[in-house]
Amino acid sequence: MYIVDSKTMHRLDEQLIKQQRVSSLDLMKRAASGVKDYIDEHHTKLVRILIVCGVGNNGGDGFALASLLKEDGYVNVTLFTLANENQLTSDARFYALRCAQLNIPCFHQLHELEGLLKNSEQCVDALFGTGLSRGIHGDYAQVIHQINASKLPCISIDMPSGIHSDTGACMGCAIHADVTISFACYKQGQLLGEGRRYCGHLKIVDIGIPHEMIAKEEHAILLTEDKTRQLLPKRFEQSHKGSYGKVLAIGGSRSMHGAITLCAKAMLRSGVGTLTLFVPKSIGMLLAMKLEECMLIEADDENGMFAQGALSLLKEKIGDYDLIVIGNGMGRTKASEALVAYVLQQDTPCILDADALWSCAKYRELIKRRQAPLIVTPHPKEFSYLTSKSTAEIKADPFKAVREFTSCYPNVTLVYKDYVSIIATDKKCYVNCIGNNALAKGGSGDVLCGIISGLYAQSKQAIEAAGAGVYVHAKCADELLQVKMQTVFYQVISSLPYPRYIKLYANAYTLYMFPTNH
Ligand SMILES: NC(=O)C1=CN([C@@H]2O[C@H](COP(=O)(O)OP(=O)(O)OC[C@H]3O[C@@H](n4cnc5c(N)ncnc54)[C@H](OP(=O)(O)O)[C@@H]3O)[C@@H](O)[C@H]2O)[C@@H](O)CC1
Ligand SMILES: [K+]
């Protein structure tokens, strides 16, 4: 399923109207029919419906819905709008006039609204959709407060009025919808920020915009199980460890040896061919005991962290890896910064995570010049190191921040990790909306980095590995929540019931290959 912003949605509507010779009135009717179908499924024709309309085309959808309902024999349809006829867009006016011809009662005074709400069983919110452009005040705010206070079940058309359709921000106040019925694609704001909560159950209906037309426009794709299956690497009968990638993971320190351990475990369970760890000497023995499958390179160490001498050892040992992963538990020192700079200058594909992202603030030019694949996996704070934006700016409009970044760094695959994660290059963008707060824990990012690295090592496809990795990680957290297990990271990567996993990810039978007690 596609995700678009309001500008793209508007362009799509216009293209459909021009290229497919559909009139805008017809398109509005299709949108209204989609909402009517939902009402038909859930109500009888006696239901008392109040449709609250704004002045734009979202209001037009509301008027069109009222006329369709009335024409189909619904006997208790009432309209409320603060607008007079002259303020409406021409399409909205067309359907408002049709409603008048059908003798649908229409009220305009704010003081009438409370009584109307009391007399109704279902409210439909058609105040604002993708055209909401500023904060809501005055009478419109009153309308929204009264609808919310009435506790009537409410269907929002396209967007819960008051939620910005690009950012998901609540613009002062917004309708708490039980159901939001939207058209053709998800709008960014339905998935981000407050948007998700205010939408209630979100339903997207087809209004006849062809998939190819949407695919040509700037869009993101929502990650689903089916989509993820397509992104996962294939495993072959006749294969050996060399078939699935040779990875060097650089990181760890005495106080954060767990980070590289979790990353390595996740990588091993995600199907990597061979894994070598490059760690400070003082944790070498510890890791050797924890991770039997890994090879080990022990580097110069100072106070449990990489020392300056680590760089010359890395130069000597860098070899012919398929992937270098750097950052997990590495700490923030001059020596670790030098390792990051050196890795960035190599032709080997690379994943930067955790502390390596901190170093990147200095190395933006190196990142820009790099030709070999690079995956970066920042959370909002780390993303601020890579951009000139504050965390608050990034969180206020993450799609914008992601697009600016990927257009500036076309060779980079970005994994922006948050409640909604965005996985993007300048050409493709995936969005993950599943997962839960069990993942809101230190170490979770290291596991994710390990899964993505393991998948990349096998497929050598950056955005595919990153997208699938994010989804699988979140899916595991959801699975664990379902079976009500206390979620710890190790469980995230090892506790999925094996047969269930197979069912979910038919192609990736190496992930979570440790059968558990289930
Ligand atoms: N395009 C198509 O063909 C199709 C579109 N469809 C439907 O159209 C919807 C988009 O319609 P839209 O663009 O007319 O915008 P909409 O959300 O109705 O509101 C704009 C009005 O609100 C006003 N306004 C804004 N903010 C405000 C505020 N804070 N407080 C007060 N007023 C405020 C704004 O005023 P202005 O900014 O112009 O001063 C303008 O008058 C879309 O969501 C979908 O439902 C479907 O029918 C399918 C076909
Ligand atoms: K609405």
Side-chain angles (χ1 to χ4, degrees), residues 50 52 78-80 82 107-121 123 142-152:
L50 177 67
V52 181
T78 304
L79 286 160
F80 178 87
L82 290 171
F107 296 84
H108 298 270
Q109 303 302 320
L110 194 54
H111 66 82
E112 295 168 309
L113 183 59
E114 196 181 345
L116 292 169
L117 288 163
K118 271 201 185 119
N119 258 327
S120 305
E121 295 163 305
C123 178
Q142 285 303 317
V143 171
I144 289 174
H145 288 312
Q146 286 196 32
I147 291 174
N148 285 341
S150 75
K151 303 270 187 245
L152 266 187

Side-chain angles (χ1 to χ4, degrees), residues 265-272 450-451 454-455 458 510-512:
K265 282 185 176 177
M267 216 183 305
L268 292 163
R269 277 156 190 72
S270 305
V272 68
I451 297 175
L455 298 179
Q458 296 164 83
T510 51
L511 283 169
Y512 314 101

Side-chain angles (χ1 to χ4, degrees), residues 86-196:
N86 300 331
Q87 293 168 303
L88 301 177
T89 59
S90 60
D91 289 353
R93 193 178 316 128
F94 174 90
Y95 284 108
L97 289 173
R98 178 81 193 120
C99 288
Q101 286 163 1
L102 292 166
N103 294 321
I104 300 174
C106 184
F107 296 84
H108 298 270
Q109 303 302 320
L110 194 54
H111 66 82
E112 295 168 309
L113 183 59
E114 196 181 345
L116 292 169
L117 288 163
K118 271 201 185 119
N119 258 327
S120 305
E121 295 163 305
Q122 173 72 61
C123 178
V124 177
D125 150 38
L127 271 174
F128 303 112
T130 52
L132 181 73
S133 54
R134 53 186 182 277
I136 298 180
H137 308 283
D139 287 356
Y140 279 114
Q142 285 303 317
V143 171
I144 289 174
H145 288 312
Q146 286 196 32
I147 291 174
N148 285 341
S150 75
K151 303 270 187 245
L152 266 187
C154 186
I155 301 168
S156 282
I157 301 186
D158 207 15
M159 290 298 300
S161 297
I163 297 294
H164 195 284
S165 59
D166 288 347
T167 65
C170 175
M171 307 293 280
C173 57
I175 296 285
H176 276 283
D178 297 281
V179 182
T180 297
I181 298 177
S182 187
F183 313 116
C185 310
Y186 288 105
K187 313 297 170 315
Q188 291 175 180
Q190 293 160 349
L191 308 174
L192 295 170
E194 301 274 46
R196 233 162 118 181

Side-chain angles (χ1 to χ4, degrees), residues 225-280:
E225 260 175 56
D226 284 346
K227 185 72 213 170
T228 302
R229 253 188 227 111
Q230 294 166 15
L231 303 179
L232 286 166
K234 308 269 178 293
R235 304 278 295 192
F236 299 99
E237 197 67 24
Q238 294 187 355
S239 55
H240 54 86
K241 64 184 180 190
S243 317
Y244 299 121
K246 191 173 161 192
V247 178
L248 179 69
I250 303 170
S253 57
R254 202 185 295 139
S255 60
M256 290 184 285
H257 52 84
I260 194 162
T261 311
L262 288 166
C263 175
K265 282 185 176 177
M267 216 183 305
L268 292 163
R269 277 156 190 72
S270 305
V272 68
T274 67
L275 172 58
T276 304
L277 303 179
F278 185 97
V279 298

